[in-house]
DNA sequence: ACCAACTTACTGACAGGTCAGTAAGTTGTG
DNA sequence: CACAACTTACTGACCTGTCAGTAAGTTGGT
């Protein structure tokens, strides 16, 4: 999908097939556009955010943006991929940790998120939009949930052992993701919601129930 | 803005100034439009849903819709108010219960929601959209959260007694709302998520932690 | 010179909203 | 009851604005 852009190295023995050589500053230019697009899609949503607004932030026209990304939808896809990479880069240990460390990581993330409201808003708006018909970000959101769920479920079983059933672990994993996302919405609308504290409390609650109440019947059922 | 509609009582000493009365079938017509609008805004979102699509469902033109509601935004507001009324009407006991019964009610709601995906989708899309700049539904969503939070927090304290601090009750209330909303998003995107079971599990977990762990330090903090 | 990186200029689709006109319903008065 | 005087409930044409996307031309780096 995405041919990588090397600086330096003129590559004398180029692949000869498609020979398009971007300029040196192009990589940074694309990154600027990506940042602007993330901001616009984050604050206005994908449908409501315009290419013109994205372009204006980097001082070009909307056609200039299309030159780099081809279409609005392609831009969105790249924004999503770019954000994934950025997220991972923030993690020093390369990838998301497992076991008990994962839960500490989730709480840390919530704490960090208070300082990057824009990112959270973008995630929230896009996730909400994604459940509409034929939304281009639907696949991405779905994948994200699926992966996250399996990672969290694995961590739960790693901590709780085989006593925790697959179903229970899956339920708890969904609940943890859900409570994180749901609290973000409330926090975005109302600062008086204490995002980190509520997140920490909820994750602990769900986790301890998953580990302790393995076969306990549900009083609310 | 809107003078009430009395049947009978011709009001012989009428003010003579403003004299307008809607026709008999108008109430039902407006209700039809409201239903159509709820469906369109629910599946497409407010920004992306068009008046023409709403109009088409009731067999009139978009100008006809505007005749009844004045503007798209006014239509949205009425949809929201109408939905509130419909929700309350479904409750036989008139208003939302308190105490332990509230939590059973929440789980019942989750179970019901599986059978009314459209409503849930509408709520999810609108809530997500509402965090964007100057969204017309923002106030409504915020109010809804605020009221729900205080009701759930009150129920928690009713069940747990004064041992549960205001802060803890507020946190738990936010978490319960959050997990319900967050799970709905996952369920809408992926049917394999068991909405009622996961909701019941999470509410129980959060509730029992709120009641039990009054002053327990947070291991994840 | 060549070509990436643009801009300018434009198209076609679609949005919400306004407006004049029309048909049907309602009401007051004789 | 009858009928004029009015209102309601629309339609359809139109306006303005915005959008993504395209095509062609210009500029400047290598």
């Amino acid at each position: 999908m995405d041919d990588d852009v090397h600086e330096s190295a003129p590559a004398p023995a180029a692949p000869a097939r498609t020979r398009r050589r971007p300029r040196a500053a192009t990589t940074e230019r694309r990154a600027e556009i990506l940042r602007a697009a993330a901001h616009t899609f984050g604050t206005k949503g994908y449908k409501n955010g315009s290419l013109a607004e994205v372009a204006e932030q980097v001082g070009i026209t909307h056609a200039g943006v299309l030159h780099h990304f081809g279409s609005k939808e392609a831009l969105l896809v790249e924004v999503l991929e770019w954000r994934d990479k950025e997220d991972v880069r923030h993690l020093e240990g390369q990838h998301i940790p497992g076991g008990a460390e994962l839960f500490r990581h989730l709480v840390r993330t919530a704490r960090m998120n208070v300082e990057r409201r824009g990112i959270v808003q973008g995630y929230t708006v896009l996730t909400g939009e994604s459940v509409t018909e034929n939304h281009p970000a639907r696949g991405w959101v779905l994948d994200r949930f699926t992966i996250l769920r399996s990672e969290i479920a694995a961590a739960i079983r790693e901590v709780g052992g085989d006593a925790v059933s697959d179903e229970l672990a899956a339920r708890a994993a969904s609940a943890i993701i859900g409570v994180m996302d749901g609290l973000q919405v409330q926090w975005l609308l109302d600062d008086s919601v204490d995002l980190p504290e509520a997140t920490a409390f909820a994750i602990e609650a769900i986790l301890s129930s998953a580990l302790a109440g393995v076969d306990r019947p549900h009083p609310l059922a």
Side-chain angles (χ1 to χ4, degrees), chain A:
Chain A
M1 214 58 103
D2 196 7
D3 41 357
D4 44 357
V5 180
H6 299 284
E7 301 176 14
S8 67
R17 195 86 59 105
T18 54
R19 21 173 42 265
R20 307 178 276 146
R21 197 176 2 150
R23 296 223 265 262
T26 296
T27 310
E28 180 50 35
R29 202 90 173 109
R30 284 175 57 99
E32 277 179 54
I33 296 171
L34 252 13
R35 264 190 293 272
H39 177 254
T40 290
F41 293 158
T43 51
K44 303 282 187 72
Y46 169 71
K47 291 279 185 184
N48 197 33
S50 71
L51 292 178
E53 186 183 315
V54 173
E56 200 187 8
Q57 293 173 72
V58 296
I60 63 175
T61 65
H62 88 276
V65 173
L66 286 172
H67 164 72
H68 284 290
F69 294 93
S71 74
K72 190 189 185 185
E73 193 169 323
L75 174 60
L76 173 65
V77 171
E78 290 218 39
V79 166
L80 264 20
E81 288 170 354
W82 172 77
R83 262 208 40 190
D84 279 345
K85 274 183 229 151
E86 285 287 304
D87 270 14
V88 172
R89 198 198 305 175
H90 267 265
L91 258 61
E92 300 301 309
Q94 292 304 29
H95 58 73
I96 298 166
E101 186 57 32
L102 173 60
F103 303 104
R104 272 185 285 274
H105 166 68
L106 293 177
V107 174
R108 265 202 312 273
T109 302
R111 218 184 306 279
M112 273 179 57
N113 280 345
V114 175
E115 304 303 322
R116 39 176 208 174
R117 171 176 273 262
I119 303 278
V120 177
Q121 187 170 329
Y123 173 79
T124 299
V125 173
L126 221 60
T127 304
E129 248 184 318
S130 76
V131 308
T132 59
E133 293 168 348
N134 300 322
H135 196 281
R138 190 187 179 106
W140 179 78
V141 174
L142 183 54
D143 285 354
R144 196 183 175 83
F145 277 139
T146 304
I147 292 167
L148 252 175
R149 225 148 38 208
S150 75
E151 276 171 345
I152 295 176
I156 290 170
R157 300 199 45 155
E158 197 174 320
V159 173
D162 289 340
V164 183
S165 71
D166 277 358
E167 281 171 357
L168 183 59
R171 246 171 245 167
S174 289
I176 286 173
I177 297 167
V179 82
M180 290 183 74
D181 291 351
L183 284 169
Q184 283 175 3
V185 178
Q186 292 175 64
W187 170 73
L188 285 168
L189 289 167
D190 184 352
D191 278 338
S192 75
V193 173
D194 192 328
L195 182 63
E197 287 299 320
T199 303
F201 164 75
I203 290 178
E204 272 170 53
I206 292 163
L207 196 53
S208 75
S209 268
L211 300 182
V214 177
D215 275 323
R216 200 185 38 167
H218 297 191
L220 292 179

